[in-house]
């Protein structure tokens, strides 16, 4: 709009200047055409007084044209008579301001800086040029009119431009109001649930945006349903994990219990014999210790630490006992290497839950008779644990969940929610996790958790 205003102003001023110049030229032509016939004869005779009289009378008759000065010159460029003889005396050279280069007949040349215009008309007798008449005109009123038009154009165009720009801004702002509503809902915090657009806003929105708002509300409803389904699946996975845990514990406890009942029966039958009593009591002691180890290991793994303490080597070795039922069920080979140190300032609860989930997933993915591997060591001020299996390999969706490219657990079997929990625990602990394939088949997962100090461990706990 500003460019259009400038263009219009320039066109108007140009046309005004052309019209003024053309009008001034016509008036100058009338003035000079009136002088020329009367001046030919006196110029030929070089009659100075008659020429001056003609010029003086013409200046009074055409006072409305505002001729400021009139000079009559001979053919050789000398002043014959002038309306201002003090400025241009008779027989002096014609001033440069009246030279042919400045004003060539019948043109008129305007000098805006000087506020005057110069016109010239040749005087001829027959085919011979006998002299010339030059006139200057005051064009200051024309320049004043031109400045007035310029100021009016600037003011009018500026006011129109501002009014149109304000109207356009208000219109676009009103048009963009539904877009801002949609953007505010899309830019909501990831921690907060997706909120649908209120019905009152949908009713007042333009018709084109009502369908868009309705589609967004359907999407928001689908996202909330997905989140509810994820929470439901997480609860089911937790219950299933507890069931598997209870089943494994029952299996681990049931075997020693059978031996204990047999030992009690033996004591009942042959308790009076010291050798039998000694062997039987020793068997009962080992069975009770086995049950105690299973219960204690399970308890410390699934219970949040109440007391801040360092990670011990035995905390990692206890995990081998928890995966033992799955290992025996599938006849797996376990290669176990634990080179971690005692008194590592890493959260024992986080380490146990992460590694147990990875080990159970490795057991589940490995076919019967396969092999799983585990290695723990301290490297570059971090506790590094590497879990490998000989299964078919981790799916792309499960790998994305584990490395943090998906924010939701994988729906379906395969420990997707367990992997999501592993990733969350590692992220909270400031660690990293890397997944890469194992040759010829299988998957290797490398977890690194930074080792802090006692104060940092208390903060994590």
């Amino acid at each position: 709009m500003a460019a259009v205003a400038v263009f219009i102003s320039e066109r108007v001023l140009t046309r005004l200047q052309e019209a003024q110049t053309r009008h001034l030229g016509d008036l100058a032509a009338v003035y000079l055409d009136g002088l020329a016939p009367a001046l030919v004869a006196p110029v030929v005779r070089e009659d100075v007084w008659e020429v001056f009289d003609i010029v003086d009378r013409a200046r009074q008759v055409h006072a409305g044209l505002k001729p400021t000065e009139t000079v009559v010159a001979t053919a050789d460029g000398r002043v014959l008579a002038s309306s201002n003889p003090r400025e241009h005396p008779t027989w002096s050279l014609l001033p440069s301001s009246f030279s042919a280069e400045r004003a060539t007949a019948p043109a008129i040349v305007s000098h805006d800086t000087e506020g005057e215009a110069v016109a010239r008309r040749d005087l001829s007798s027959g085919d011979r040029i006998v002299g010339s008449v030059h006139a200057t005109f005051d064009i200051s009123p024309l320049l004043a009119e031109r400045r007035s038009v310029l100021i009016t154009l600037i003011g009018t165009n500026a006011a129109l431009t501002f009014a149109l720009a304000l109207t356009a801004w208000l219109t676009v702002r009103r048009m963009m109001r539904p877009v801002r509503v949609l953007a505010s809902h899309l830019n909501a915090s990831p921690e907060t649930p997706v909120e649908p657009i209120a019905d009152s806003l949908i009713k007042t929105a333009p018709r084109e945006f009502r369908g868009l708002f309705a589609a967004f509300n359907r999407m928001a409803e689908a996202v909330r349903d997905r989140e509810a389904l994820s929470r439901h699946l997480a609860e089911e996975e937790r219950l299933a994990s507890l069931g598997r845990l209870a089943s494994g514990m029952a299996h681990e406890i049931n075997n020693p219990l059978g031996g204990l009942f047999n030992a009690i029966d033996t004591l009942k039958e042959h308790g009076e014999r010291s050798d039998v009593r000694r062997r039987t009591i020793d068997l009962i002691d080992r069975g009770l210790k086995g049950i105690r180890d299973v219960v204690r290991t399970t308890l410390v793994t699934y219970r949040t630490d109440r007391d801040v303490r360092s990670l011990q080597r035995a905390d990692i070795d206890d995990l081998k006992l928890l995966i033992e039922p799955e290992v025996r069920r599938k006849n797996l080979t376990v290669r176990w290497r634990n080179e971690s140190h005692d008194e590592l300032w890493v959260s024992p609860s986080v380490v146990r839950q992460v590694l147990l989930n990875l080990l159970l997933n490795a057991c589940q993915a490995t076919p019967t008779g396969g092999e799983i591997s585990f290695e723990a060591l301290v490297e570059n001020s971090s506790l590094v644990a590497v879990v490998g299996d000989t299964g078919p390999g981790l799916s792309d969706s499960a790998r994305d969940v584990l490395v943090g490219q998906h924010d939701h657990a994988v729906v379906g079997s395969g420990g997707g929610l367990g992997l999501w929990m592993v990733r969350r625990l590692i992220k909270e602990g400031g660690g990293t996790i890397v997944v890469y394939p194992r040759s010829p088949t299988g998957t290797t997962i490398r977890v690194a958790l930074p080792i802090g100090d006692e104060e940092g461990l208390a903060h994590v706990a």
Side-chain angles (χ1 to χ4, degrees):
M1 286 185 288
V4 170
V6 171
F7 175 77
I8 292 176
S9 300
E10 189 273 335
R11 287 288 85 201
V12 170
L13 289 175
T14 301
R15 294 297 298 272
L16 176 63
Q17 183 178 0
E18 292 174 353
Q20 289 179 339
T21 303
R22 184 171 57 253
H23 180 63
L24 182 63
D26 294 340
L27 294 178
V30 171
Y31 175 71
L32 295 178
D33 288 344
L35 283 175
L39 289 174
V40 172
V43 170
V44 172
R45 295 193 307 268
E46 295 184 352
D47 189 342
V48 176
W49 292 107
E50 186 177 356
V51 171
F52 179 81
D53 182 63
I54 294 173
V55 170
D56 185 61
R57 282 188 286 109
R59 184 169 60 87
Q60 295 177 4
V61 173
H62 297 86
L65 295 178
K66 295 186 177 181
T68 57
E69 188 176 7
T70 304
V71 177
V72 179
T74 60
D76 58 358
R78 293 184 177 274
V79 176
L80 186 62
S82 171
S83 61
N84 187 5
R86 295 181 182 275
E87 184 74 20
H88 304 106
T90 302
W91 305 117
S92 63
L93 291 175
L94 187 68
S96 60
S97 58
F98 297 108
S99 62
E101 292 78 14
R102 301 280 304 269
T104 303
I108 183 169
V109 178
S110 299
H111 305 292
D112 295 345
T113 57
E114 300 174 4
E116 64 179 17
V118 181
R120 169 181 172 169
R121 177 60 53 87
D122 291 333
L123 303 176
S124 59
S125 177
D127 296 332
R128 183 169 63 91
I129 302 297
V130 296
S132 61
V133 55
H134 306 264
T136 61
F137 300 92
D138 182 16
I139 61 173
S140 56
L142 300 180
L143 297 178
E145 181 183 5
R146 199 178 302 172
R147 285 193 298 270
S148 176
V149 172
L150 175 61
I151 294 173
T152 303
L153 282 173
I154 292 176
T156 303
N157 287 333
L160 288 176
T161 301
F162 177 76
L164 292 175
L166 180 62
T167 303
W169 181 78
L170 292 175
T171 303
V172 174
R173 186 172 183 269
R174 181 178 178 84
M175 292 171 59
M176 293 297 293
R177 188 180 302 165
V179 178
R180 290 197 299 271
V181 172
L182 186 61
S184 63
H185 283 75
L186 290 174
N187 292 330
S189 176
E191 287 77 15
T192 59
V194 180
E195 292 293 336
I197 300 174
D199 293 337
S200 59
L201 293 177
I202 296 179
K203 293 178 181 179
T204 58
R207 182 177 58 186
E208 294 80 4
F209 284 93
R210 293 175 188 173
L212 182 62
F213 285 175
F216 175 82
N217 284 350
R218 290 193 297 270
M219 183 196 69
E221 187 66 25
V223 170
R224 289 193 295 181
D225 292 343
R226 179 185 178 90
E227 291 176 350
L229 179 61
S230 297
R231 289 193 296 269
H232 179 69
L233 290 176
E235 182 65 19
E236 288 188 352
E237 179 70 13
R238 187 181 68 84
L239 295 176
S241 298
L242 290 176
R244 290 194 297 268
L245 174 64
S247 176
M249 287 185 61
H251 179 76
E252 290 298 317
I253 294 175
N254 188 56
N255 288 336
L257 281 179
L260 291 177
F261 282 118
N262 290 333
I264 292 175
D265 291 337
T266 301
L267 287 177
K268 290 179 180 179
E269 294 288 338
H270 309 286
E272 70 279 358
R273 293 174 52 182
S274 61
D275 57 338
V276 174
R277 186 170 61 251
R278 186 171 54 255
R279 289 196 306 271
T280 304
I281 292 175
D282 184 59
L283 178 62
I284 293 173
D285 181 68
R286 290 198 306 271
L288 289 174
K289 287 181 179 179
I291 294 174
R292 180 198 64 188
D293 293 339
V294 172
V295 173
R296 183 185 63 187
T297 302
T298 305
L299 180 63
V300 298
T301 299
Y302 285 92
R303 184 186 67 182
T304 304
D305 291 334
R306 291 194 177 97
D307 298 325
V308 177
R309 65 179 184 84
S310 60
L311 178 71
Q312 308 292 324
R313 183 194 297 262
D315 292 328
I316 296 179
D317 287 331
D318 286 343
L319 300 177
K320 189 175 183 181
L321 180 62
L322 290 178
I323 66 171
E324 188 65 28
E326 190 71 14
V327 170
R328 285 203 302 267
R329 184 180 67 83
K330 302 184 72 172
N331 193 25
L332 302 177
T333 300
V334 180
R335 292 194 295 108
W336 192 275
R337 181 184 176 190
N338 183 9
E339 296 184 355
S340 61
H341 310 297
D342 287 339
E343 297 295 324
L344 293 179
W345 294 109
V346 185
S347 174
S349 175
V350 171
V351 172
R352 286 193 297 266
Q353 292 187 51
V354 167
L355 297 184
L356 182 60
N357 268 291
L358 294 179
L359 288 170
L360 289 176
N361 283 334
C363 292
Q364 184 179 2
T366 304
T368 302
E371 179 185 276
I372 65 171
S373 62
F374 175 81
E375 181 180 6
L377 67 155
V378 176
E379 183 179 287
N380 297 330
S381 300
S382 297
L383 174 64
V384 178
V386 182
V387 179
D389 62 68
T390 56
L394 203 61
S395 65
D396 293 338
S397 57
R399 181 183 294 106
D400 291 342
V401 170
L402 198 57
V403 299
Q405 295 184 5
H406 282 176
D407 292 333
H408 300 284
V410 180
V411 178
S413 60
L417 290 167
L419 297 181
W420 177 77
M421 180 66 70
V422 167
R423 192 254 297 177
R424 185 179 66 83
L425 290 173
I426 293 175
K427 182 179 179 181
E428 291 177 354
T432 59
I433 184 167
V434 180
V435 181
Y436 47 91
R438 184 178 182 181
S439 181
T441 60
T443 303
T444 300
I445 301 175
R446 185 179 187 273
V447 175
L449 289 169
I451 300 174
D453 50 18
E454 187 173 1
E455 180 180 355
L457 182 62
H459 177 72
V460 172

